[in-house]
Amino acid sequence: MSLPDVNATPAPPRSWRQRNRKWVVPAVGFSILALFFAGSIVLFVLTLMRHTDVFREAVARAEANPQVRAELGEPIREGWWVSGHVRTTGSSGNAALAIPLKGSRKDGTLYAVAHKSAGRWTYATLEVAVEGRPGRISLLVGEGVW
């Protein structure tokens, strides 16, 4: 039987990475997967909102309005982050959207509140707020139904 070497140096302690590798790698992988999944859901919902009749008509009216074009500058593009909701059940529903608009001179927000009854959308609110400008530009021309 041999005696331990008294002059031998002890092994250096393992690093944090070496001690925790077996659970850190799966945790990081799961976190990346969860972020990808959540991002996919957000992108899907935003895409669905952009393809609704309310969104398309509201943006078309804003782009066609001479006062909005003069204030924002051309071309006018929709921003990425649309907020609000669109809920429909058969021939009825409601929508409330805030759509960011970007022009060559200024940015703004298009607000659309609409109600669907008997298959027709009626706007309660359709207006553009331009950054730095007091008040809003109304896009309702009296009829409110499209």
Side-chain angles (χ1 to χ4, degrees), residues 67-81:
Q67 191 176 0
V68 173
R69 288 196 318 254
E71 291 279 343
L72 297 180
E74 295 188 60
I76 297 173
R77 299 176 318 274
E78 306 98 39
W80 186 79
W81 191 260

Side-chain angles (χ1 to χ4, degrees), residues 83-96:
S83 61
H85 71 272
V86 177
R87 296 181 183 113
T88 58
T89 304
S91 63
S92 64
N94 60 60

Side-chain angles (χ1 to χ4, degrees), residues 3-124:
L3 295 172
D5 187 4
V6 185
N7 294 330
T9 59
R14 294 187 317 163
S15 70
W16 183 90
R17 185 185 305 167
Q18 290 170 331
R19 290 189 319 267
N20 297 298
R21 180 176 293 167
K22 61 184 153 200
W23 68 266
V24 168
V25 171
V28 169
F30 178 76
S31 297
I32 290 171
L33 186 62
L35 285 172
F36 177 76
F37 182 71
S40 297
I41 289 173
V42 168
L43 185 61
F44 178 72
V45 169
L46 290 174
T47 300
L48 282 179
M49 286 174 61
R50 288 174 172 277
H51 286 86
T52 62
D53 291 337
V54 173
F55 179 93
R56 288 181 182 179
E57 180 67 21
V59 170
R61 286 190 182 196
E63 290 174 341
N65 185 284
Q67 191 176 0
V68 173
R69 288 196 318 254
E71 291 279 343
L72 297 180
E74 295 188 60
I76 297 173
R77 299 176 318 274
E78 306 98 39
W80 186 79
W81 191 260
V82 178
S83 61
H85 71 272
V86 177
R87 296 181 183 113
T88 58
T89 304
S91 63
S92 64
N94 60 60
L97 297 173
I99 305 164
L101 298 176
K102 300 185 181 302
S104 61
R105 287 195 290 272
K106 293 182 183 176
D107 294 343
T109 304
L110 171 60
Y111 295 99
V113 177
H115 305 282
K116 185 178 183 183
S117 179
R120 298 182 74 185
W121 285 100
T122 304
Y123 286 102

